[in-house]
Amino acid sequence: MQSKPIPSDDDANTGSDDAGAVVEQTVDEAVEAAADEGSSNPVETVANAAQDVVATAAQDIGSFIRSQRVAAEVSLRQLADRAGVSNPYLSQIERGLRKPSADVLAQIAKGLRVSAEVLYVRAGILEERPASPVRDALLIDTSISERQKQMLLEIYESFQRENRENGADPTVGKHD
């Protein structure tokens, strides 16, 4: 079973696309430490390393949500009300004590007026997609709902996929 890479704050700041290396390195280090210490159960050691990675991911998404909330000048109570979650639960998410579900992330994204996709990528639920000016414009547009954004993105991506499969030249018929 292959896990999805969990982006960290360092990956976001440096633009690194190799967050998976962090997870692999953590697991490799755990296995080496177990061998050095003479651990008789490397599976348990790897499982503990995996738990550490999940805890780090929860802290990363929590600190990201907190930074977005502070930047938007929204109190914890205001965001909890907007997102439809309790103050204590949101506080636990921000402190990395709880890892929110995709549904809760979508509610928080709506409360912060950011794309749910951004939070999904930060939480490791979705893999980051390559940058696209059309995609970026859709994601920052505040005049349409999250559902409408997702539908438009699906249509756009289906056109791209169809062009790739048919070997179509996207510049044909382009007016200069």
Side-chain angles (χ1 to χ4, degrees), residues 43-94:
V43 172
E44 183 178 323
T45 304
V46 171
N48 290 338
Q51 286 176 336
D52 292 344
V53 169
V54 169
T56 301
Q59 287 175 340
D60 286 348
I61 188 61
S63 63
F64 181 75
I65 289 170
R66 175 179 282 150
S67 68
Q68 293 297 305
R69 179 179 58 77
V70 170
E73 298 179 355
V74 175
S75 72
L76 183 75
R77 183 175 305 235
Q78 288 171 322
L79 180 56
D81 287 342
R82 288 181 188 176
V85 297
S86 70
N87 287 350
Y89 182 58
L90 182 57
S91 176
Q92 290 172 348
I93 291 170
E94 286 190 353

Side-chain angles (χ1 to χ4, degrees), residues 28-156:
D28 290 344
E29 288 172 358
V31 171
E32 286 178 21
D36 291 344
E37 295 170 8
S39 175
S40 62
N41 193 349
V43 172
E44 183 178 323
T45 304
V46 171
N48 290 338
Q51 286 176 336
D52 292 344
V53 169
V54 169
T56 301
Q59 287 175 340
D60 286 348
I61 188 61
S63 63
F64 181 75
I65 289 170
R66 175 179 282 150
S67 68
Q68 293 297 305
R69 179 179 58 77
V70 170
E73 298 179 355
V74 175
S75 72
L76 183 75
R77 183 175 305 235
Q78 288 171 322
L79 180 56
D81 287 342
R82 288 181 188 176
V85 297
S86 70
N87 287 350
Y89 182 58
L90 182 57
S91 176
Q92 290 172 348
I93 291 170
E94 286 190 353
R95 290 181 290 140
L97 301 176
R98 301 269 185 171
K99 188 163 183 185
S101 68
D103 288 339
V104 170
L105 285 174
Q107 292 170 245
I108 291 171
K110 189 175 182 180
L112 288 170
R113 293 184 174 91
V114 299
S115 168
E117 184 176 2
V118 170
L119 295 185
Y120 293 159
V121 169
R122 291 296 297 210
I125 295 171
L126 282 180
E127 291 184 20
E128 193 165 4
R129 299 178 188 172
S132 158
V134 172
R135 220 177 122 267
D136 295 344
L138 279 173
L139 291 175
I140 62 171
D141 190 335
T142 57
S143 67
I144 59 177
S145 71
E146 285 298 316
R147 172 119 172 92
Q148 291 167 330
K149 289 176 187 181
Q150 291 305 317
M151 295 304 295
L152 287 170
L153 284 171
E154 286 178 24
I155 293 167
Y156 175 67

